[in-house]
mmCIF file of all heavy atoms in Angstrom:
data_model
loop_
_atom_site.group_PDB
_atom_site.id
_atom_site.type_symbol
_atom_site.label_atom_id
_atom_site.label_comp_id
_atom_site.label_asym_id
_atom_site.label_seq_id
_atom_site.Cartn_x
_atom_site.Cartn_y
_atom_site.Cartn_z
ATOM 1 N N PRO A 1 0.831 -1.206 0.000
ATOM 2 C CA PRO A 1 0.000 0.000 0.000
ATOM 3 C C PRO A 1 0.867 1.257 0.000
ATOM 4 O O PRO A 1 1.621 1.499 0.923
ATOM 5 C CB PRO A 1 -0.807 -0.124 1.300
ATOM 6 C CG PRO A 1 -0.030 -1.069 2.152
ATOM 7 C CD PRO A 1 0.766 -1.949 1.229
ATOM 8 N N THR A 2 0.790 2.029 -1.045
ATOM 9 C CA THR A 2 1.568 3.247 -1.167
ATOM 10 C C THR A 2 0.862 4.189 -2.127
ATOM 11 O O THR A 2 -0.007 3.789 -2.879
ATOM 12 C CB THR A 2 3.001 2.965 -1.686
ATOM 13 O OG1 THR A 2 3.332 3.860 -2.710
ATOM 14 C CG2 THR A 2 3.187 1.615 -2.186
ATOM 15 N N GLU A 3 1.296 5.398 -2.146
ATOM 16 C CA GLU A 3 0.724 6.367 -3.074
ATOM 17 C C GLU A 3 1.429 6.343 -4.420
ATOM 18 O O GLU A 3 0.966 6.954 -5.360
ATOM 19 C CB GLU A 3 0.848 7.770 -2.486
ATOM 20 C CG GLU A 3 -0.002 7.970 -1.256
ATOM 21 C CD GLU A 3 0.127 9.380 -0.738
ATOM 22 O OE1 GLU A 3 0.190 10.314 -1.552
ATOM 23 O OE2 GLU A 3 0.157 9.534 0.482
ATOM 24 N N ALA A 4 2.551 5.693 -4.529
ATOM 25 C CA ALA A 4 3.366 5.767 -5.740
ATOM 26 C C ALA A 4 3.013 4.676 -6.745
ATOM 27 O O ALA A 4 3.874 4.036 -7.298
ATOM 28 C CB ALA A 4 4.842 5.689 -5.365
ATOM 29 N N LEU A 5 1.728 4.454 -6.964
ATOM 30 C CA LEU A 5 1.317 3.463 -7.948
ATOM 31 C C LEU A 5 1.555 4.000 -9.353
ATOM 32 O O LEU A 5 1.558 5.204 -9.583
ATOM 33 C CB LEU A 5 -0.156 3.116 -7.770
ATOM 34 C CG LEU A 5 -0.494 2.364 -6.485
ATOM 35 C CD1 LEU A 5 -1.993 2.155 -6.388
ATOM 36 C CD2 LEU A 5 0.224 1.038 -6.423
ATOM 37 N N CYS A 6 1.704 3.095 -10.265
ATOM 38 C CA CYS A 6 1.937 3.453 -11.659
ATOM 39 C C CYS A 6 0.792 4.324 -12.165
ATOM 40 O O CYS A 6 -0.375 3.943 -12.070
ATOM 41 C CB CYS A 6 2.070 2.181 -12.480
ATOM 42 S SG CYS A 6 2.456 2.493 -14.190
ATOM 43 N N PRO A 7 1.102 5.483 -12.731
ATOM 44 C CA PRO A 7 0.057 6.417 -13.137
ATOM 45 C C PRO A 7 -0.571 6.120 -14.491
ATOM 46 O O PRO A 7 -1.448 6.854 -14.940
ATOM 47 C CB PRO A 7 0.806 7.752 -13.187
ATOM 48 C CG PRO A 7 2.196 7.362 -13.546
ATOM 49 C CD PRO A 7 2.437 6.041 -12.867
ATOM 50 N N SER A 8 -0.147 5.050 -15.160
ATOM 51 C CA SER A 8 -0.632 4.807 -16.514
ATOM 52 C C SER A 8 -0.726 3.309 -16.786
ATOM 53 O O SER A 8 0.213 2.562 -16.488
ATOM 54 C CB SER A 8 0.340 5.464 -17.499
ATOM 55 O OG SER A 8 0.277 4.901 -18.770
ATOM 56 N N VAL A 9 -1.824 2.890 -17.362
ATOM 57 C CA VAL A 9 -1.977 1.486 -17.747
ATOM 58 C C VAL A 9 -0.912 1.119 -18.778
ATOM 59 O O VAL A 9 -0.274 0.067 -18.690
ATOM 60 C CB VAL A 9 -3.399 1.227 -18.301
ATOM 61 C CG1 VAL A 9 -3.508 -0.164 -18.896
ATOM 62 C CG2 VAL A 9 -4.430 1.434 -17.207
ATOM 63 N N ALA A 10 -0.681 2.001 -19.737
ATOM 64 C CA ALA A 10 0.320 1.725 -20.777
ATOM 65 C C ALA A 10 1.712 1.568 -20.167
ATOM 66 O O ALA A 10 2.476 0.683 -20.568
ATOM 67 C CB ALA A 10 0.314 2.834 -21.822
ATOM 68 N N LEU A 11 2.054 2.404 -19.190
ATOM 69 C CA LEU A 11 3.348 2.278 -18.526
ATOM 70 C C LEU A 11 3.415 0.971 -17.738
ATOM 71 O O LEU A 11 4.446 0.292 -17.737
ATOM 72 C CB LEU A 11 3.611 3.471 -17.609
ATOM 73 C CG LEU A 11 4.916 3.427 -16.811
ATOM 74 C CD1 LEU A 11 6.129 3.344 -17.746
ATOM 75 C CD2 LEU A 11 5.028 4.632 -15.896
ATOM 76 N N GLY A 12 2.321 0.599 -17.090
ATOM 77 C CA GLY A 12 2.282 -0.674 -16.378
ATOM 78 C C GLY A 12 2.528 -1.843 -17.312
ATOM 79 O O GLY A 12 3.290 -2.768 -17.008
ATOM 80 N N TYR A 13 1.900 -1.809 -18.479
ATOM 81 C CA TYR A 13 2.124 -2.857 -19.478
ATOM 82 C C TYR A 13 3.580 -2.861 -19.938
ATOM 83 O O TYR A 13 4.189 -3.919 -20.112
ATOM 84 C CB TYR A 13 1.230 -2.639 -20.703
ATOM 85 C CG TYR A 13 -0.235 -2.920 -20.514
ATOM 86 C CD1 TYR A 13 -1.126 -2.627 -21.533
ATOM 87 C CD2 TYR A 13 -0.753 -3.455 -19.343
ATOM 88 C CE1 TYR A 13 -2.489 -2.874 -21.403
ATOM 89 C CE2 TYR A 13 -2.112 -3.696 -19.196
ATOM 90 C CZ TYR A 13 -2.968 -3.414 -20.232
ATOM 91 O OH TYR A 13 -4.299 -3.656 -20.102
ATOM 92 N N THR A 14 4.145 -1.689 -20.130
ATOM 93 C CA THR A 14 5.537 -1.582 -20.573
ATOM 94 C C THR A 14 6.489 -2.160 -19.526
ATOM 95 O O THR A 14 7.423 -2.892 -19.872
ATOM 96 C CB THR A 14 5.892 -0.107 -20.874
ATOM 97 O OG1 THR A 14 5.038 0.344 -21.931
ATOM 98 C CG2 THR A 14 7.338 0.051 -21.270
ATOM 99 N N MET A 15 6.257 -1.842 -18.268
ATOM 100 C CA MET A 15 7.128 -2.372 -17.204
ATOM 101 C C MET A 15 6.986 -3.888 -17.107
ATOM 102 O O MET A 15 7.969 -4.595 -16.886
ATOM 103 C CB MET A 15 6.816 -1.703 -15.868
ATOM 104 C CG MET A 15 7.165 -0.221 -15.833
ATOM 105 S SD MET A 15 8.920 0.115 -16.105
ATOM 106 C CE MET A 15 9.570 -0.315 -14.490
ATOM 107 N N TRP A 16 5.777 -4.418 -17.280
ATOM 108 C CA TRP A 16 5.576 -5.865 -17.261
ATOM 109 C C TRP A 16 6.351 -6.499 -18.414
ATOM 110 O O TRP A 16 7.053 -7.479 -18.236
ATOM 111 C CB TRP A 16 4.087 -6.198 -17.341
ATOM 112 C CG TRP A 16 3.812 -7.663 -17.217
ATOM 113 C CD1 TRP A 16 3.583 -8.353 -16.062
ATOM 114 C CD2 TRP A 16 3.744 -8.628 -18.274
ATOM 115 N NE1 TRP A 16 3.380 -9.681 -16.340
ATOM 116 C CE2 TRP A 16 3.476 -9.884 -17.695
ATOM 117 C CE3 TRP A 16 3.899 -8.556 -19.657
ATOM 118 C CZ2 TRP A 16 3.349 -11.043 -18.441
ATOM 119 C CZ3 TRP A 16 3.771 -9.715 -20.403
ATOM 120 C CH2 TRP A 16 3.502 -10.938 -19.796
ATOM 121 N N ARG A 17 6.210 -5.923 -19.623
ATOM 122 C CA ARG A 17 6.935 -6.459 -20.794
ATOM 123 C C ARG A 17 8.439 -6.401 -20.567
ATOM 124 O O ARG A 17 9.162 -7.337 -20.929
ATOM 125 C CB ARG A 17 6.580 -5.669 -22.052
ATOM 126 C CG ARG A 17 5.329 -6.123 -22.731
ATOM 127 C CD ARG A 17 5.184 -5.495 -24.131
ATOM 128 N NE ARG A 17 5.210 -4.047 -24.111
ATOM 129 C CZ ARG A 17 4.130 -3.278 -24.029
ATOM 130 N NH1 ARG A 17 2.934 -3.818 -23.973
ATOM 131 N NH2 ARG A 17 4.238 -1.973 -24.031
ATOM 132 N N LEU A 18 8.923 -5.317 -19.983
ATOM 133 C CA LEU A 18 10.352 -5.172 -19.725
ATOM 134 C C LEU A 18 10.844 -6.236 -18.757
ATOM 135 O O LEU A 18 11.886 -6.846 -18.965
ATOM 136 C CB LEU A 18 10.641 -3.768 -19.165
ATOM 137 C CG LEU A 18 12.089 -3.452 -18.826
ATOM 138 C CD1 LEU A 18 12.964 -3.518 -20.072
ATOM 139 C CD2 LEU A 18 12.177 -2.072 -18.196
ATOM 140 N N GLY A 19 10.090 -6.486 -17.705
ATOM 141 C CA GLY A 19 10.504 -7.478 -16.716
ATOM 142 C C GLY A 19 10.341 -8.903 -17.185
ATOM 143 O O GLY A 19 11.258 -9.721 -17.084
ATOM 144 N N VAL A 20 9.193 -9.234 -17.734
ATOM 145 C CA VAL A 20 8.901 -10.621 -18.113
ATOM 146 C C VAL A 20 9.573 -10.991 -19.431
ATOM 147 O O VAL A 20 9.904 -12.158 -19.650
ATOM 148 C CB VAL A 20 7.379 -10.862 -18.157
ATOM 149 C CG1 VAL A 20 7.038 -12.235 -18.697
ATOM 150 C CG2 VAL A 20 6.795 -10.691 -16.749
ATOM 151 N N ARG A 21 9.807 -10.027 -20.291
ATOM 152 C CA ARG A 21 10.486 -10.270 -21.570
ATOM 153 C C ARG A 21 9.810 -11.382 -22.371
ATOM 154 O O ARG A 21 10.425 -12.397 -22.689
ATOM 155 C CB ARG A 21 11.954 -10.609 -21.343
ATOM 156 C CG ARG A 21 12.776 -9.616 -20.550
ATOM 157 C CD ARG A 21 13.040 -8.349 -21.314
ATOM 158 N NE ARG A 21 13.759 -8.589 -22.532
ATOM 159 C CZ ARG A 21 15.007 -8.239 -22.729
ATOM 160 N NH1 ARG A 21 15.666 -7.609 -21.810
ATOM 161 N NH2 ARG A 21 15.586 -8.493 -23.872
ATOM 162 N N PRO A 22 8.530 -11.226 -22.708
ATOM 163 C CA PRO A 22 7.822 -12.312 -23.394
ATOM 164 C C PRO A 22 8.452 -12.719 -24.724
ATOM 165 O O PRO A 22 8.421 -13.892 -25.083
ATOM 166 C CB PRO A 22 6.406 -11.778 -23.571
ATOM 167 C CG PRO A 22 6.478 -10.331 -23.305
ATOM 168 C CD PRO A 22 7.686 -10.066 -22.481
ATOM 169 N N GLY A 23 9.042 -11.802 -25.452
ATOM 170 C CA GLY A 23 9.717 -12.166 -26.699
ATOM 171 C C GLY A 23 10.919 -13.045 -26.443
ATOM 172 O O GLY A 23 11.139 -14.062 -27.116
ATOM 173 N N TRP A 24 11.719 -12.685 -25.454
ATOM 174 C CA TRP A 24 12.898 -13.463 -25.070
ATOM 175 C C TRP A 24 12.489 -14.842 -24.574
ATOM 176 O O TRP A 24 13.176 -15.831 -24.817
ATOM 177 C CB TRP A 24 13.667 -12.706 -23.984
ATOM 178 C CG TRP A 24 14.794 -13.460 -23.363
ATOM 179 C CD1 TRP A 24 16.031 -13.682 -23.914
ATOM 180 C CD2 TRP A 24 14.817 -14.084 -22.082
ATOM 181 N NE1 TRP A 24 16.805 -14.405 -23.043
ATOM 182 C CE2 TRP A 24 16.087 -14.667 -21.906
ATOM 183 C CE3 TRP A 24 13.886 -14.209 -21.055
ATOM 184 C CZ2 TRP A 24 16.441 -15.347 -20.761
ATOM 185 C CZ3 TRP A 24 14.252 -14.884 -19.911
ATOM 186 C CH2 TRP A 24 15.513 -15.451 -19.782
ATOM 187 N N SER A 25 11.334 -14.904 -23.896
ATOM 188 C CA SER A 25 10.857 -16.176 -23.349
ATOM 189 C C SER A 25 10.182 -17.050 -24.404
ATOM 190 O O SER A 25 9.866 -18.197 -24.134
ATOM 191 C CB SER A 25 9.862 -15.918 -22.211
ATOM 192 O OG SER A 25 10.486 -15.224 -21.158
ATOM 193 N N GLY A 26 9.916 -16.510 -25.581
ATOM 194 C CA GLY A 26 9.315 -17.292 -26.650
ATOM 195 C C GLY A 26 7.798 -17.265 -26.696
ATOM 196 O O GLY A 26 7.174 -18.190 -27.190
ATOM 197 N N HIS A 27 7.174 -16.193 -26.198
ATOM 198 C CA HIS A 27 5.714 -16.124 -26.158
ATOM 199 C C HIS A 27 5.098 -15.454 -27.379
ATOM 200 O O HIS A 27 3.881 -15.328 -27.455
ATOM 201 C CB HIS A 27 5.243 -15.401 -24.893
ATOM 202 C CG HIS A 27 5.622 -16.117 -23.662
ATOM 203 N ND1 HIS A 27 5.058 -17.313 -23.291
ATOM 204 C CD2 HIS A 27 6.545 -15.830 -22.717
ATOM 205 C CE1 HIS A 27 5.611 -17.728 -22.171
ATOM 206 N NE2 HIS A 27 6.510 -16.845 -21.803
ATOM 207 N N GLY A 28 5.910 -14.988 -28.284
ATOM 208 C CA GLY A 28 5.345 -14.336 -29.462
ATOM 209 C C GLY A 28 4.614 -13.064 -29.082
ATOM 210 O O GLY A 28 5.034 -12.331 -28.205
ATOM 211 N N ALA A 29 3.493 -12.834 -29.729
ATOM 212 C CA ALA A 29 2.752 -11.590 -29.535
ATOM 213 C C ALA A 29 1.665 -11.693 -28.467
ATOM 214 O O ALA A 29 0.983 -10.721 -28.191
ATOM 215 C CB ALA A 29 2.124 -11.161 -30.857
ATOM 216 N N VAL A 30 1.494 -12.838 -27.834
ATOM 217 C CA VAL A 30 0.438 -13.022 -26.838
ATOM 218 C C VAL A 30 0.794 -12.273 -25.554
ATOM 219 O O VAL A 30 1.909 -12.364 -25.063
ATOM 220 C CB VAL A 30 0.242 -14.527 -26.534
ATOM 221 C CG1 VAL A 30 -0.774 -14.733 -25.433
ATOM 222 C CG2 VAL A 30 -0.168 -15.260 -27.793
ATOM 223 N N ARG A 31 -0.178 -11.535 -25.018
ATOM 224 C CA ARG A 31 -0.004 -10.813 -23.764
ATOM 225 C C ARG A 31 -1.229 -11.065 -22.894
ATOM 226 O O ARG A 31 -2.333 -11.241 -23.409
ATOM 227 C CB ARG A 31 0.152 -9.302 -24.000
ATOM 228 C CG ARG A 31 1.320 -8.916 -24.873
ATOM 229 C CD ARG A 31 2.661 -9.283 -24.233
ATOM 230 N NE ARG A 31 3.773 -8.957 -25.093
ATOM 231 C CZ ARG A 31 4.354 -9.804 -25.940
ATOM 232 N NH1 ARG A 31 3.901 -11.023 -26.060
ATOM 233 N NH2 ARG A 31 5.381 -9.440 -26.661
ATOM 234 N N PRO A 32 -1.072 -11.020 -21.565
ATOM 235 C CA PRO A 32 -2.213 -11.303 -20.692
ATOM 236 C C PRO A 32 -3.361 -10.316 -20.827
ATOM 237 O O PRO A 32 -4.496 -10.640 -20.529
ATOM 238 C CB PRO A 32 -1.634 -11.253 -19.278
ATOM 239 C CG PRO A 32 -0.215 -10.908 -19.393
ATOM 240 C CD PRO A 32 0.148 -10.793 -20.837
ATOM 241 N N TRP A 33 -3.092 -9.122 -21.265
ATOM 242 C CA TRP A 33 -4.131 -8.102 -21.327
ATOM 243 C C TRP A 33 -4.828 -8.044 -22.684
ATOM 244 O O TRP A 33 -5.708 -7.221 -22.890
ATOM 245 C CB TRP A 33 -3.554 -6.722 -21.022
ATOM 246 C CG TRP A 33 -2.415 -6.343 -21.897
ATOM 247 C CD1 TRP A 33 -2.486 -5.846 -23.170
ATOM 248 C CD2 TRP A 33 -1.036 -6.445 -21.586
ATOM 249 N NE1 TRP A 33 -1.224 -5.636 -23.650
ATOM 250 C CE2 TRP A 33 -0.307 -5.987 -22.699
ATOM 251 C CE3 TRP A 33 -0.339 -6.865 -20.456
ATOM 252 C CZ2 TRP A 33 1.082 -5.944 -22.729
ATOM 253 C CZ3 TRP A 33 1.048 -6.831 -20.490
ATOM 254 C CH2 TRP A 33 1.741 -6.374 -21.610
ATOM 255 N N ASP A 34 -4.493 -8.906 -23.607
ATOM 256 C CA ASP A 34 -5.080 -8.836 -24.947
ATOM 257 C C ASP A 34 -6.602 -8.809 -24.915
ATOM 258 O O ASP A 34 -7.229 -8.001 -25.579
ATOM 259 C CB ASP A 34 -4.605 -9.996 -25.823
ATOM 260 C CG ASP A 34 -3.161 -9.813 -26.272
ATOM 261 O OD1 ASP A 34 -2.652 -8.681 -26.180
ATOM 262 O OD2 ASP A 34 -2.549 -10.800 -26.697
ATOM 263 N N ARG A 35 -7.240 -9.675 -24.159
ATOM 264 C CA ARG A 35 -8.705 -9.705 -24.108
ATOM 265 C C ARG A 35 -9.268 -8.461 -23.423
ATOM 266 O O ARG A 35 -10.260 -7.913 -23.848
ATOM 267 C CB ARG A 35 -9.189 -10.962 -23.398
ATOM 268 C CG ARG A 35 -8.951 -12.190 -24.260
ATOM 269 C CD ARG A 35 -9.586 -13.424 -23.705
ATOM 270 N NE ARG A 35 -11.009 -13.268 -23.556
ATOM 271 C CZ ARG A 35 -11.701 -13.807 -22.566
ATOM 272 N NH1 ARG A 35 -11.105 -14.544 -21.659
ATOM 273 N NH2 ARG A 35 -12.994 -13.648 -22.475
ATOM 274 N N ALA A 36 -8.632 -8.027 -22.349
ATOM 275 C CA ALA A 36 -9.113 -6.835 -21.642
ATOM 276 C C ALA A 36 -9.011 -5.612 -22.546
ATOM 277 O O ALA A 36 -9.905 -4.764 -22.557
ATOM 278 C CB ALA A 36 -8.319 -6.615 -20.361
ATOM 279 N N ASP A 37 -7.937 -5.517 -23.313
ATOM 280 C CA ASP A 37 -7.794 -4.369 -24.207
ATOM 281 C C ASP A 37 -8.880 -4.346 -25.270
ATOM 282 O O ASP A 37 -9.352 -3.284 -25.655
ATOM 283 C CB ASP A 37 -6.414 -4.371 -24.871
ATOM 284 C CG ASP A 37 -5.365 -3.718 -23.991
ATOM 285 O OD1 ASP A 37 -5.722 -3.253 -22.897
ATOM 286 O OD2 ASP A 37 -4.200 -3.659 -24.403
#
């Protein structure tokens, strides 16, 4: 619990992609948020 939450959904997605590295892991273009988007 903090006030410093990510201010943008797009930035949150970018940080997730940066950390998880789905391309490096071999996941192709599939992302968990595809259906929500």
Side-chain angles (χ1 to χ4, degrees):
T2 133
E3 293 182 39
L5 292 177
C6 183
S8 157
V9 171
L11 178 59
Y13 288 174
T14 299
M15 293 299 283
W16 185 90
R17 276 192 303 267
L18 179 62
V20 173
R21 305 289 300 250
W24 172 77
S25 298
H27 297 290
V30 176
R31 301 296 178 266
W33 55 81
D34 286 343
R35 289 188 59 215
D37 275 359

